[in-house]
Amino acid sequence: MSRPRPRPRRATGPARLVAFNKPMNVLSQFTDDGHWPGLGRLLDLPGLYPAGRLDRDSEGLLLLTNDGALQARLTSPKHEISKTYLAQVEGESDAAALAALTRGVTLKDGPTRPAEVARIDPPDLWPREPPVRARKTVPDAWLRLTIREGRNRQVRRMTAHVGLPCLRLVRWSVGALHLDDLTPGLWREVDPNAPFG
């Protein structure tokens, strides 16, 4: 079990916002948990804390800040900040499954908000370690999903609910901030006043 993440109350010095491409099998906390490494193995950014989280087995854009108000704005569902994911799923992503995701599905913790969903060509991403091992007899597909809430393992649970288990999940953007050419394990400073609508 991971430790609770500290929440910054106010920025110490100017507000900072960092975009980090979190690799697979790294926790969204600075400390290790005995099984998996934390962010502290890759980042030396004192005073910054994750604004939200990515599951250990997910990759992609993780934002870190020293500003508690900005952290709250980025993570609170009431602000409806969009988060876009690229998901490799197992199975045929037929029109019925995509329509269900677009309407929203009912999970154990209640109905999800509608998502924006499209089938896409396989994106040009960095190789995943370890590589994805899909079953040879089952097709797979890539989806782009945009949600405006952030429940625990939400995208994985949504795709599984419609019969499309997630094989690989990459968060590509939060609001207007994108990974672009940021490769796994690297970070860059971004404007803390960037639009997040």
Side-chain angles (χ1 to χ4, degrees), residues 2-195:
S2 57
R3 296 180 191 168
R5 292 171 294 143
R7 301 276 184 186
R9 298 261 180 224
R10 64 176 62 134
T12 53
R16 291 181 66 195
L17 184 63
V18 161
F20 173 63
N21 188 342
K22 186 191 86 66
M24 170 113 172
N25 292 330
V26 173
L27 302 174
S28 292
Q29 61 189 38
F30 277 91
T31 55
D32 300 349
D33 75 350
H35 300 287
W36 304 102
L39 298 172
R41 300 261 187 117
L42 301 170
L43 297 172
D44 183 18
L45 296 170
L48 296 187
Y49 299 92
R53 59 189 305 122
L54 276 175
D55 301 321
R56 175 205 44 88
D57 51 352
S58 298
E59 312 161 67
L61 183 61
L62 182 66
L63 299 176
L64 300 101
T65 184
N66 63 340
D67 186 315
L70 177 57
Q71 184 185 48
R73 185 164 60 109
L74 289 169
T75 57
S76 173
K78 74 178 181 179
H79 294 291
E80 297 189 8
I81 294 174
S82 64
K83 298 169 189 74
T84 298
Y85 296 82
L86 306 180
Q88 183 183 15
V89 296
E90 187 175 73
E92 293 285 358
S93 56
D94 60 20
L98 299 187
L101 292 169
T102 300
R103 287 190 305 270
V105 297
T106 300
L107 304 174
K108 287 184 179 178
D109 53 354
T112 66
R113 293 178 183 165
E116 297 168 28
V117 184
R119 187 172 174 154
I120 60 172
D121 291 331
D124 184 20
L125 296 171
W126 53 90
R128 194 186 95 170
E129 294 297 332
V132 173
R133 301 268 188 238
R135 291 179 289 171
K136 292 179 183 177
T137 58
V138 179
D140 66 283
W142 280 89
L143 305 176
R144 181 188 303 112
L145 294 96
T146 300
I147 61 173
R148 287 179 168 76
E149 54 187 330
R151 302 182 202 181
N152 184 43
R153 300 182 71 80
Q154 181 175 340
V155 172
R156 290 180 186 278
R157 292 191 295 140
M158 288 175 71
T159 59
H161 184 83
V162 298
L164 300 170
C166 196
L167 300 171
R168 185 177 184 188
L169 187 61
V170 178
R171 183 157 60 199
W172 187 254
S173 66
V174 175
L177 294 178
H178 295 76
L179 277 179
D180 296 323
D181 57 355
L182 200 61
T183 56
L186 297 182
W187 62 274
R188 68 170 175 266
E189 294 274 352
V190 293
D191 181 0
N193 299 308

